[in-house]
């Protein structure tokens, strides 16, 4: 099937008549995955050439760390480029996988910050490296030193990925003027993502105990840490490479930021109520993650319930019974209903912005379907 955009350029997506996001993802995710794997392998092959044979052991863990991702951000870069340029072109693959490398690199750091042990169904890279050091390299050293080196090396690998992100865009087959605009936009996303991470670390245990966390703080973190690098950033990057002007870029940012907040709220809900789909339901609790669920429940319960919630939430040793108690509080205080309502409100706002974009009905349908996909997903 051949679609026509408003600019009268042909678009050959090969989609079925429902123009679903899943169809688009299925069409290009394989191509993106191959491109990413080939690029990462080429980079790690240089570890022992440009640096030292002593870094040989990092190759497999680093390559494996990029396996298992949904390629969501790369797909959005490609989708946005195709929406606004009228056709898919392989030259957009490098900018698209740049975002995937950026995301995985951020997760390296995030897993250290959160003391995470698993990511994408397997051990986090710093835990894998810790195991390597314990079993072979540092048998005579203690666990603390093994743990410290594994985290230090993971931070370096994350930083290395940030460099690759910019290198990919610089090496892409686009005009220099376009690449400058893309790098400027990407720099803003990187900066805001890091600020969002710092806020996420700070808010559960603020230096100033008198500082009152409010809902705006929670939404600000969701916008900075999640929305920009998950949705609005990739969409804007693809649009820039397609030659889209500032006005449409701003609409994409507004669309993506609202949808990204909805996505984060939904993710937080699944982080507590997602046991039916196999999602761990105690990690957010153990990390003392300040979510809308927790914020609303804490501010809308009696003194006795508040004390119970404060004693259990943030406890690293919470039991299944404790988690059940927290869930019950979230339901009985109306926190779950409130979070779901807020999620839908941000999603609906995003869809209203979507209606103002100068794109074809078919392309708008794909983005609309994506809005539902990302806020109702169960895995």
């Amino acid at each position: 099937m051949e679609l026509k955009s408003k600019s009268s350029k042909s678009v050959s997506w090969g989609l079925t008549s429902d123009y679903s996001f899943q169809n688009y993802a299925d069409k290009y995710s394989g191509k993106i995955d191959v491109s990413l794997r080939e690029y990462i392998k080429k980079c790690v092959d240089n570890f022992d050439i440009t640096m030292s044979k002593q870094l040989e052991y990092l190759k497999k863990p680093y390559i494996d760390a990029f396996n298992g991702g949904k390629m969501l951000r790369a797909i959005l870069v490609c989708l946005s480029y195709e929406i606004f340029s009228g056709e898919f072109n392989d030259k957009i693959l490098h900018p698209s996988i740049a975002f995937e490398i950026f995301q995985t690199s951020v997760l390296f750091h995030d897993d250290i910050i959160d003391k995470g042990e698993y990511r994408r169904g397997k051990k986090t890279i710093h835990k894998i490296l810790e195991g390597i050091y314990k079993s072979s390299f540092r048998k005579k050293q203690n666990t603390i030193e093994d743990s410290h080196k594994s985290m230090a090396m993971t931070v370096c690998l994350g930083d290395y990925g940030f460099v690759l992100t910019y290198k990919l865009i610089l090496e892409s087959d686009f005009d220099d003027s376009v690449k400058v605009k893309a790098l400027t936009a990407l720099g803003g996303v990187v900066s805001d993502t890091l600020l969002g991470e710092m806020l996420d670390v700070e808010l559960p245990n603020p230096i100033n105990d008198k500082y009152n966390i409010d809902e705006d703080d929670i939404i600000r973190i969701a916008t900075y840490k999640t929305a920009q690098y998950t949705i609005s950033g990739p969409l804007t990057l693809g649009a820039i490479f397609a030659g889209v002007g500032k006005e449409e870029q701003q609409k994409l940012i507004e669309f993506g930021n609202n949808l990204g907040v909805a996505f984060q709220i939904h993710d937080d809900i699944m982080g507590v109520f997602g046991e039916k789909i196999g999602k761990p339901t105690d990690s957010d609790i153990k990390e003392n993650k300040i979510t809308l669920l927790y914020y609303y429940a804490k501010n809308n319960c009696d003194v006795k319930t508040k004390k119970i919630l404060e004693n259990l939430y943030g406890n690293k040793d919470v039991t299944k019974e404790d988690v059940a108690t927290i869930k019950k509080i979230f339901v009985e205080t109306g926190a779950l209903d409130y979070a779901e309502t807020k999620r839908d409100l941000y999603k609906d706002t995003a869809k209203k912005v979507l209606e103002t974009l100068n794109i074809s009905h078919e392309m708008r349908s794909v983005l609309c379907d994506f809005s539902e996909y990302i806020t109702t997903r169960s895995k």
Side-chain angles (χ1 to χ4, degrees):
M1 176 178 292
E2 184 175 85
L3 309 179
K4 294 290 184 177
S5 69
K6 287 192 174 182
S7 59
S8 297
K9 294 180 180 179
S10 64
V11 183
S12 301
W13 284 356
L15 301 175
T16 56
S17 58
D18 62 356
Y19 305 109
S20 73
F21 174 74
Q22 189 63 57
N23 286 337
Y24 188 88
D26 290 344
K27 184 175 176 64
Y28 290 118
S29 59
K31 184 186 285 281
I32 291 168
D33 185 54
V34 169
S35 183
L36 176 62
R37 289 172 183 269
E38 289 178 348
Y39 188 81
I40 292 298
K41 185 179 185 303
K42 182 179 73 172
C43 291
V44 299
D45 281 345
N46 288 328
F47 279 6
D48 59 341
I49 297 173
T50 61
M51 297 294 289
S52 170
K53 285 283 187 180
Q54 290 175 309
L55 299 180
E56 182 82 19
Y57 73 94
L58 293 173
K59 288 184 177 182
K60 188 178 187 305
Y62 190 67
I63 291 173
D64 289 347
F66 290 90
N67 297 337
K70 297 181 178 67
M71 303 293 165
L72 175 63
R73 291 153 188 83
I75 291 168
L76 289 180
V77 173
C78 292
L79 174 59
S80 183
Y81 176 80
E82 187 166 350
I83 284 175
F84 291 104
S85 71
E87 60 185 1
F88 180 87
N89 190 310
D90 281 352
K91 68 181 183 179
I92 195 61
L93 286 174
H94 268 197
S96 73
I97 66 172
F99 237 102
E100 286 299 318
I101 293 175
F102 167 57
Q103 185 227 4
T104 299
S105 301
V106 167
L107 295 181
F108 285 177
H109 293 178
D110 192 56
D111 287 336
I112 291 174
I113 292 170
D114 294 341
K115 300 179 181 178
E117 296 188 9
Y118 292 91
R119 171 71 65 178
R120 295 171 177 169
K122 54 183 180 289
K123 283 188 176 182
T124 54
I125 189 167
H126 70 277
K127 282 297 180 181
I128 291 173
L129 294 180
E130 183 179 340
I132 291 174
Y133 298 144
K134 286 180 180 179
S135 64
S136 58
F137 294 162
R138 301 165 64 89
K139 288 182 179 179
K140 296 181 180 180
Q141 303 297 333
N142 60 45
T143 302
I144 293 176
E145 289 179 338
D146 290 333
S147 177
H148 177 77
K149 183 179 177 182
S150 70
M151 289 188 288
M153 191 62 78
T154 301
V155 169
C156 291
L157 289 172
D159 292 344
Y160 178 68
F162 293 155
V163 174
L164 294 182
T165 298
Y166 284 88
K167 191 170 182 284
L168 271 163
I169 291 178
L170 286 169
E171 294 175 347
S172 63
D173 190 21
F174 289 91
D175 290 341
D176 287 346
S177 60
V178 176
K179 287 190 279 192
V180 169
K181 293 177 182 177
L183 287 170
T184 301
L186 179 61
V189 173
V190 173
S191 175
D192 285 348
T193 300
L194 297 178
L195 287 172
E197 181 70 65
M198 287 188 282
L199 280 172
D200 197 31
V201 171
E202 176 61 21
L203 289 193
N205 299 289
I207 294 174
N208 184 354
D209 292 335
K210 294 181 180 179
Y211 178 70
N212 294 316
I213 299 172
D214 59 25
E215 188 171 313
D216 288 342
D217 293 316
I218 297 169
I219 300 303
R220 188 177 299 111
I221 291 174
T223 303
Y224 281 9
K225 185 183 174 184
T226 302
Q228 292 197 43
Y229 101 106
T230 302
I231 305 177
S232 58
L235 287 175
T236 303
L237 192 69
I240 289 172
F241 281 112
V244 170
K246 289 286 187 182
E247 185 177 347
E248 289 294 279
Q249 287 180 40
Q250 190 56 48
K251 290 178 182 178
L252 279 175
I253 292 172
E254 188 178 353
F255 165 74
N257 284 352
N258 277 283
L259 185 57
V261 171
F263 162 66
Q264 183 60 67
I265 294 172
H266 182 69
D267 192 63
D268 291 339
I269 293 171
M270 290 295 100
V272 177
F273 294 92
E275 70 280 350
K276 290 183 179 179
I277 49 96
K279 191 175 177 69
T281 58
D282 62 0
S283 57
D284 286 355
I285 294 170
K286 289 180 178 179
E287 291 169 17
N288 197 28
K289 185 176 181 181
I290 307 302
T291 65
L292 275 184
L293 286 169
Y294 177 71
Y295 172 80
Y296 187 90
K298 184 179 176 181
N299 288 278
N300 290 274
C301 62
D302 56 43
V303 175
K304 181 180 178 181
T305 303
K306 183 177 180 180
K307 186 174 181 179
I308 293 172
L309 184 60
E310 289 179 336
N311 286 337
L312 296 180
Y313 203 87
N315 184 350
K316 304 295 184 183
D317 300 316
V318 288
T319 64
K320 290 183 178 180
E321 291 74 19
D322 294 335
V323 173
T325 298
I326 291 171
K327 289 167 63 175
K328 183 179 180 182
I329 292 172
F330 285 168
V331 172
E332 292 181 348
T333 59
L336 177 59
D337 287 340
Y338 183 77
E340 290 177 335
T341 299
K342 279 289 185 178
R343 175 198 62 196
D344 294 343
L345 177 63
Y346 278 99
K347 178 176 67 176
D348 291 343
T349 300
K351 286 184 175 182
K352 288 177 182 177
V353 177
L354 181 58
E355 291 300 317
T356 69
L357 283 169
N358 186 29
I359 60 178
S360 72
H361 170 73
E362 292 84 0
M363 295 172 178
R364 187 175 289 110
S365 294
V366 175
L367 287 176
C368 186
D369 184 66
F370 169 66
S371 302
E372 292 297 328
Y373 166 84
I374 203 170
T375 55
T376 59
R377 78 195 201 293
S378 58
K379 60 182 179 178

